[in-house]
Amino acid sequence: EAGVAQSPRYKIIEKRQSVAFWCNPISGHATLYWYQQILGQGPKLLIQFQNNGVVDDSQLPKDRFSAERLKGVDSTLKIQPAKLEDSAVYLCASSLGTGAPDTFGSGTRLTVV
Amino acid sequence: GEDVEQSLFLSVREGDSSVINCTYTDSSSTYLYWYKQEPGAGLQLLTYIFSNMDMKQDQRLTVLLNKKDKHLSLRIADTQTGDSAIYFCAERMDTGRRALTFGSGTRLQVQP
């Protein structure tokens, strides 16, 4: 079974630029999650989708972050404009149900300079 | 509010048992999870326990839950060098906002 695919693996941008991350979950997994993991901390949920609907985006900074999962399969997360404090690893995860993520991708490490 | 705390670092010798501890503050948490993160990789769900259980065993892993003290532990028997990783505990409520709250992780170092 293929895992959760994420790209790019690394990204370095200047502050105020925009960036987009892509995620392809495990086939058949209805629930997709985006997490932000700042160095030395546990992951923090940004947004959770079930199929193509948003279940929880309460911690997503909506003035600069957006995410979509138009066809209920793959998803993109965008930051525009980026700030220095957005430097983190962005993890995508998926699961069959809505309980908890069981499979994570390797993440995209974002550095904002 | 929700808060999950873990010690930062644990070092053990290969073959010994490891015990990783976690405390949480939300008494309405109904699910508690353990994840493993190897360097440069995403998290891997190891095991979970419902709050109405005291213990769960899965091969080399034993989870103990003390609900009165809001204390969760993960015991790894016969620890191997491949167990070296960061271990995160996480809690989730069954009502309201159901997102997981993660601790900051415990780095387990296994000495050969």
Side-chain angles (χ1 to χ4, degrees):
Chain A
E1 179 183 73
V4 175
Q6 289 189 248
S7 66
R9 191 76 176 90
Y10 303 93
K11 192 74 178 178
I12 301 174
I13 61 171
E14 294 182 348
K15 59 183 179 183
R16 290 186 289 274
Q17 285 188 323
S18 62
V19 64
F21 313 126
W22 175 81
C23 171
N24 191 17
I26 289 178
S27 178
H29 278 196
T31 307
L32 184 148
Y33 312 78
W34 282 103
Y35 285 86
Q36 180 192 59
Q37 186 177 20
I38 293 173
L39 186 64
Q41 297 182 19
K44 181 186 83 171
L45 180 69
L46 292 174
I47 189 166
Q48 177 181 339
F49 293 95
Q50 183 166 3
N51 297 309
N52 59 352
V54 175
V55 173
D56 186 343
D57 64 356
S58 58
Q59 296 203 83
L60 186 75
K62 297 180 186 66
D63 57 334
R64 299 184 300 107
F65 286 63
S66 64
E68 60 183 15
R69 192 186 185 197
L70 292 175
K71 296 182 180 178
V73 180
D74 56 354
S75 174
T76 55
L77 175 70
K78 296 179 183 177
I79 307 175
Q80 182 180 11
K83 293 185 175 181
L84 296 176
E85 59 261 35
D86 298 332
S87 293
V89 175
Y90 290 84
L91 295 166
C92 180
S94 69
S95 61
L96 275 172
T98 58
D102 51 47
T103 309
F104 281 75
S106 299
T108 296
R109 181 176 297 276
L110 174 68
T111 303
V112 182
V113 298
Chain B
E2 304 167 5
D3 196 15
V4 179
E5 295 190 358
Q6 300 179 240
S7 52
L8 286 178
F9 184 75
L10 175 66
S11 181
V12 300
R13 290 196 178 276
E14 192 173 17
D16 288 350
S17 292
S18 308
V19 179
I20 302 170
N21 295 301
C22 171
T23 57
Y24 59 98
T25 56
D26 200 318
S27 58
S28 58
S29 295
T30 54
Y31 302 89
L32 295 134
Y33 301 84
W34 284 104
Y35 286 83
K36 176 183 179 183
Q37 186 175 34
E38 297 185 49
L43 281 71
Q44 171 194 355
L45 177 62
L46 288 177
T47 187
Y48 64 93
I49 189 168
F50 295 113
S51 60
N52 62 358
M53 298 168 64
D54 297 324
M55 185 183 86
K56 181 178 180 181
Q57 188 156 1
D58 184 0
Q59 299 182 338
R60 292 191 298 122
L61 304 179
T62 303
V63 179
L64 294 177
L65 176 61
N66 181 330
K67 198 173 178 183
K68 174 176 169 290
D69 294 338
K70 301 191 185 76
H71 182 266
L72 181 73
S73 67
L74 175 69
R75 179 177 179 269
I76 306 172
D78 186 24
T79 313
Q80 303 298 306
T81 53
D83 295 323
S84 293
I86 300 176
Y87 290 81
F88 292 91
C89 70
E91 64 172 353
R92 182 171 77 93
M93 292 185 289
D94 196 31
T95 58
R97 185 165 186 269
R98 299 188 182 189
L100 298 189
T101 300
F102 285 86
S104 297
T106 299
R107 181 178 295 277
L108 174 65
Q109 182 179 68
V110 182
Q111 311 271 14

